[in-house]
mmCIF file of all heavy atoms in Angstrom:
data_model
loop_
_atom_site.group_PDB
_atom_site.id
_atom_site.type_symbol
_atom_site.label_atom_id
_atom_site.label_comp_id
_atom_site.label_asym_id
_atom_site.label_seq_id
_atom_site.Cartn_x
_atom_site.Cartn_y
_atom_site.Cartn_z
ATOM 1 N N SER U 37 53.174 23.063 34.425
ATOM 2 C CA SER U 37 53.806 22.013 35.232
ATOM 3 C C SER U 37 55.081 21.516 34.554
ATOM 4 O O SER U 37 56.069 21.224 35.241
ATOM 5 C CB SER U 37 52.836 20.858 35.504
ATOM 6 O OG SER U 37 52.340 20.328 34.303
ATOM 7 N N ASN U 38 55.104 21.456 33.235
ATOM 8 C CA ASN U 38 56.328 21.031 32.546
ATOM 9 C C ASN U 38 57.442 22.066 32.696
ATOM 10 O O ASN U 38 58.607 21.704 32.868
ATOM 11 C CB ASN U 38 56.055 20.755 31.060
ATOM 12 C CG ASN U 38 55.277 19.474 30.861
ATOM 13 O OD1 ASN U 38 55.347 18.558 31.670
ATOM 14 N ND2 ASN U 38 54.522 19.416 29.784
ATOM 15 N N GLU U 39 57.091 23.342 32.641
ATOM 16 C CA GLU U 39 58.093 24.395 32.834
ATOM 17 C C GLU U 39 58.635 24.366 34.260
ATOM 18 O O GLU U 39 59.841 24.516 34.481
ATOM 19 C CB GLU U 39 57.489 25.768 32.526
ATOM 20 C CG GLU U 39 57.176 25.972 31.054
ATOM 21 C CD GLU U 39 56.301 27.177 30.769
ATOM 22 O OE1 GLU U 39 55.533 27.611 31.664
ATOM 23 O OE2 GLU U 39 56.376 27.692 29.647
ATOM 24 N N ILE U 40 57.735 24.190 35.221
ATOM 25 C CA ILE U 40 58.152 24.108 36.622
ATOM 26 C C ILE U 40 59.049 22.889 36.837
ATOM 27 O O ILE U 40 60.086 22.975 37.489
ATOM 28 C CB ILE U 40 56.917 24.060 37.548
ATOM 29 C CG1 ILE U 40 56.180 25.399 37.491
ATOM 30 C CG2 ILE U 40 57.322 23.712 38.980
ATOM 31 C CD1 ILE U 40 54.811 25.366 38.149
ATOM 32 N N ALA U 41 58.639 21.752 36.259
ATOM 33 C CA ALA U 41 59.422 20.516 36.400
ATOM 34 C C ALA U 41 60.832 20.696 35.836
ATOM 35 O O ALA U 41 61.813 20.272 36.456
ATOM 36 C CB ALA U 41 58.709 19.361 35.703
ATOM 37 N N ALA U 42 60.931 21.335 34.688
ATOM 38 C CA ALA U 42 62.241 21.546 34.075
ATOM 39 C C ALA U 42 63.086 22.506 34.912
ATOM 40 O O ALA U 42 64.280 22.264 35.127
ATOM 41 C CB ALA U 42 62.076 22.095 32.655
ATOM 42 N N PHE U 43 62.475 23.581 35.404
ATOM 43 C CA PHE U 43 63.223 24.564 36.179
ATOM 44 C C PHE U 43 63.773 23.966 37.466
ATOM 45 O O PHE U 43 64.936 24.150 37.808
ATOM 46 C CB PHE U 43 62.356 25.777 36.497
ATOM 47 C CG PHE U 43 63.088 26.842 37.253
ATOM 48 C CD1 PHE U 43 63.885 27.752 36.582
ATOM 49 C CD2 PHE U 43 63.003 26.918 38.630
ATOM 50 C CE1 PHE U 43 64.587 28.736 37.282
ATOM 51 C CE2 PHE U 43 63.701 27.901 39.334
ATOM 52 C CZ PHE U 43 64.498 28.801 38.661
ATOM 53 N N TYR U 44 62.905 23.260 38.210
ATOM 54 C CA TYR U 44 63.318 22.699 39.502
ATOM 55 C C TYR U 44 63.915 21.301 39.382
ATOM 56 O O TYR U 44 64.325 20.729 40.385
ATOM 57 C CB TYR U 44 62.137 22.676 40.470
ATOM 58 C CG TYR U 44 61.750 24.053 40.964
ATOM 59 C CD1 TYR U 44 60.597 24.678 40.506
ATOM 60 C CD2 TYR U 44 62.539 24.739 41.882
ATOM 61 C CE1 TYR U 44 60.236 25.948 40.957
ATOM 62 C CE2 TYR U 44 62.197 25.996 42.333
ATOM 63 C CZ TYR U 44 61.046 26.597 41.858
ATOM 64 O OH TYR U 44 60.698 27.847 42.307
ATOM 65 N N GLN U 45 63.909 20.762 38.180
ATOM 66 C CA GLN U 45 64.402 19.413 37.929
ATOM 67 C C GLN U 45 63.695 18.388 38.807
ATOM 68 O O GLN U 45 64.317 17.623 39.552
ATOM 69 C CB GLN U 45 65.921 19.349 38.103
ATOM 70 C CG GLN U 45 66.633 20.265 37.128
ATOM 71 C CD GLN U 45 68.138 20.243 37.269
ATOM 72 O OE1 GLN U 45 68.681 19.764 38.265
ATOM 73 N NE2 GLN U 45 68.824 20.760 36.278
ATOM 74 N N VAL U 46 62.350 18.437 38.717
ATOM 75 C CA VAL U 46 61.508 17.499 39.460
ATOM 76 C C VAL U 46 60.572 16.799 38.482
ATOM 77 O O VAL U 46 60.428 17.207 37.329
ATOM 78 C CB VAL U 46 60.678 18.213 40.557
ATOM 79 C CG1 VAL U 46 61.586 18.852 41.595
ATOM 80 C CG2 VAL U 46 59.732 19.240 39.961
ATOM 81 N N ASN U 47 59.939 15.773 38.962
ATOM 82 C CA ASN U 47 58.955 15.043 38.177
ATOM 83 C C ASN U 47 57.788 15.971 37.834
ATOM 84 O O ASN U 47 57.332 16.729 38.696
ATOM 85 C CB ASN U 47 58.482 13.854 39.031
ATOM 86 C CG ASN U 47 57.541 12.955 38.289
ATOM 87 O OD1 ASN U 47 56.517 13.383 37.759
ATOM 88 N ND2 ASN U 47 57.888 11.679 38.259
ATOM 89 N N PRO U 48 57.270 15.931 36.605
ATOM 90 C CA PRO U 48 56.127 16.771 36.245
ATOM 91 C C PRO U 48 54.904 16.570 37.152
ATOM 92 O O PRO U 48 54.150 17.516 37.384
ATOM 93 C CB PRO U 48 55.814 16.358 34.810
ATOM 94 C CG PRO U 48 57.121 15.887 34.274
ATOM 95 C CD PRO U 48 57.799 15.210 35.446
ATOM 96 N N ALA U 49 54.740 15.370 37.687
ATOM 97 C CA ALA U 49 53.621 15.129 38.607
ATOM 98 C C ALA U 49 53.802 15.936 39.896
ATOM 99 O O ALA U 49 52.824 16.440 40.465
ATOM 100 C CB ALA U 49 53.494 13.642 38.928
ATOM 101 N N THR U 50 55.022 16.082 40.350
ATOM 102 C CA THR U 50 55.311 16.897 41.535
ATOM 103 C C THR U 50 54.991 18.362 41.244
ATOM 104 O O THR U 50 54.361 19.045 42.058
ATOM 105 C CB THR U 50 56.795 16.747 41.937
ATOM 106 O OG1 THR U 50 57.050 15.373 42.243
ATOM 107 C CG2 THR U 50 57.138 17.617 43.130
ATOM 108 N N ALA U 51 55.410 18.817 40.071
ATOM 109 C CA ALA U 51 55.129 20.200 39.675
ATOM 110 C C ALA U 51 53.622 20.423 39.551
ATOM 111 O O ALA U 51 53.097 21.450 40.006
ATOM 112 C CB ALA U 51 55.823 20.514 38.357
ATOM 113 N N ALA U 52 52.920 19.457 38.967
ATOM 114 C CA ALA U 52 51.467 19.579 38.813
ATOM 115 C C ALA U 52 50.776 19.634 40.171
ATOM 116 O O ALA U 52 49.811 20.379 40.364
ATOM 117 C CB ALA U 52 50.924 18.410 37.989
ATOM 118 N N ARG U 53 51.296 18.876 41.118
ATOM 119 C CA ARG U 53 50.711 18.899 42.465
ATOM 120 C C ARG U 53 50.858 20.273 43.104
ATOM 121 O O ARG U 53 49.971 20.732 43.813
ATOM 122 C CB ARG U 53 51.351 17.812 43.333
ATOM 123 C CG ARG U 53 50.652 17.621 44.648
ATOM 124 C CD ARG U 53 51.050 16.341 45.329
ATOM 125 N NE ARG U 53 50.379 16.236 46.613
ATOM 126 C CZ ARG U 53 50.774 15.454 47.587
ATOM 127 N NH1 ARG U 53 51.822 14.663 47.415
ATOM 128 N NH2 ARG U 53 50.132 15.426 48.725
ATOM 129 N N SER U 54 51.972 20.947 42.851
ATOM 130 C CA SER U 54 52.157 22.293 43.402
ATOM 131 C C SER U 54 51.109 23.247 42.828
ATOM 132 O O SER U 54 50.566 24.086 43.552
ATOM 133 C CB SER U 54 53.570 22.809 43.143
ATOM 134 O OG SER U 54 53.787 23.045 41.769
ATOM 135 N N LEU U 55 50.805 23.106 41.554
ATOM 136 C CA LEU U 55 49.771 23.945 40.942
ATOM 137 C C LEU U 55 48.386 23.598 41.481
ATOM 138 O O LEU U 55 47.547 24.484 41.662
ATOM 139 C CB LEU U 55 49.814 23.810 39.424
ATOM 140 C CG LEU U 55 51.046 24.423 38.746
ATOM 141 C CD1 LEU U 55 51.074 24.065 37.265
ATOM 142 C CD2 LEU U 55 51.089 25.921 38.952
ATOM 143 N N THR U 56 48.155 22.321 41.758
ATOM 144 C CA THR U 56 46.882 21.898 42.340
ATOM 145 C C THR U 56 46.677 22.530 43.703
ATOM 146 O O THR U 56 45.580 22.986 44.029
ATOM 147 C CB THR U 56 46.823 20.360 42.446
ATOM 148 O OG1 THR U 56 46.909 19.812 41.123
ATOM 149 C CG2 THR U 56 45.546 19.890 43.113
ATOM 150 N N VAL U 57 47.742 22.592 44.500
ATOM 151 C CA VAL U 57 47.667 23.225 45.820
ATOM 152 C C VAL U 57 47.248 24.682 45.672
ATOM 153 O O VAL U 57 46.362 25.170 46.384
ATOM 154 C CB VAL U 57 49.029 23.122 46.566
ATOM 155 C CG1 VAL U 57 49.071 24.030 47.776
ATOM 156 C CG2 VAL U 57 49.305 21.677 46.966
ATOM 157 N N LEU U 58 47.867 25.392 44.739
ATOM 158 C CA LEU U 58 47.528 26.801 44.527
ATOM 159 C C LEU U 58 46.100 26.961 44.018
ATOM 160 O O LEU U 58 45.400 27.901 44.411
ATOM 161 C CB LEU U 58 48.513 27.444 43.551
ATOM 162 C CG LEU U 58 49.961 27.524 44.023
ATOM 163 C CD1 LEU U 58 50.840 28.127 42.946
ATOM 164 C CD2 LEU U 58 50.072 28.317 45.311
#
Side-chain angles (χ1 to χ4, degrees):
S37 56
N38 287 333
E39 291 167 335
I40 293 169
F43 182 82
Y44 288 106
Q45 299 180 345
V46 297
N47 185 305
T50 299
R53 189 165 178 200
S54 68
L55 291 172
T56 298
V57 167
L58 296 178

